[in-house]
Amino acid sequence: MSFDEEWSAARTTAAANVSMRLNHVPTEPGPGGGGDLELNQDHIGEVGSEAYKLHTRLSTDGKHAATATAEAAGALTRENFASGAALLKVNTRWESQLKTLIAACANISNGLNYSLSSHNKEEQQLHADFTSSKIDQLLK
C-alpha cells in the first residue's frame, strides 16, 4: 500500500469516527452524557485567575533567554556562521509567538472577568426588577 493510499484510508477512518461521535447522543447522563451544561462562577473565576497568572509568568519568564540568544546569534554571525542568522530568526519568531500567546491569555482573563461582572450586574438588575414589581403588586 502506498503512502497516499494509507493516508487516504486513515483520513476516511478518522472522518467516520468524528461523524459518528458528533451524530450520537449518549442516553446515559454523566461524563459525556446528555446532561445540561453547568457553569459555576467560581470555576470561571479560577480559569480567569489562571489565565492571568500565565500571562504574568509568560511576560517575564518567556523573555528570559532573549538577551543570551541575541548575543549568541551576534557572536555566531561575527564568526561567519550561517547559524547566527538562523538563531536570530528563531529568536524573532519566538518573540512574535510569545506576544501572541500573552495577548491570548490577557483576552481570556479579561473576557472572563467581564463575563462575571456583567452577569453579576444582570443578576442585580433582575433582582431589583423582581423586588420592585412584587412591591408594586402588594401595594395595589
Side-chain angles (χ1 to χ4, degrees):
M1 180 181 283
S2 73
F3 173 79
D4 290 334
E5 292 170 338
E6 190 174 345
W7 181 250
S8 178
R11 285 184 14 206
T12 302
T13 302
N17 288 340
V18 168
S19 176
M20 197 164 52
R21 281 184 287 180
L22 291 175
N23 292 328
H24 174 70
V25 176
T27 56
E28 296 297 317
D36 288 337
L37 174 64
E38 289 186 30
L39 199 52
N40 182 318
Q41 286 193 354
D42 291 337
H43 293 148
I44 293 173
E46 288 175 20
V47 172
S49 177
E50 290 300 317
Y52 179 76
K53 288 177 191 174
L54 182 58
H55 172 272
T56 303
R57 296 248 353 246
L58 284 171
S59 296
T60 55
D61 296 344
K63 299 174 185 174
H64 119 140
T67 303
T69 304
E71 288 174 1
L76 288 168
T77 301
R78 283 190 299 280
E79 295 297 325
N80 294 321
F81 285 102
S83 58
L87 186 56
L88 188 59
K89 184 176 182 178
V90 167
N91 192 43
T92 302
R93 178 66 56 93
W94 171 262
E95 288 176 2
S96 170
Q97 295 298 314
L98 181 62
K99 287 178 185 176
T100 301
L101 188 55
I102 289 170
C105 289
N107 283 340
I108 291 168
S109 178
N110 292 340
L112 292 176
N113 286 341
Y114 173 79
S115 294
L116 286 174
S117 173
S118 175
H119 177 74
N120 287 337
K121 287 178 186 174
E122 289 175 5
E123 285 289 319
Q124 290 171 355
Q125 184 61 47
L126 287 171
H127 180 71
D129 291 347
F130 178 74
T131 303
S132 66
S133 68
K134 198 67 162 167
I135 290 172
D136 285 345
Q137 286 177 357
L138 294 173
L139 290 175
K140 291 182 180 179

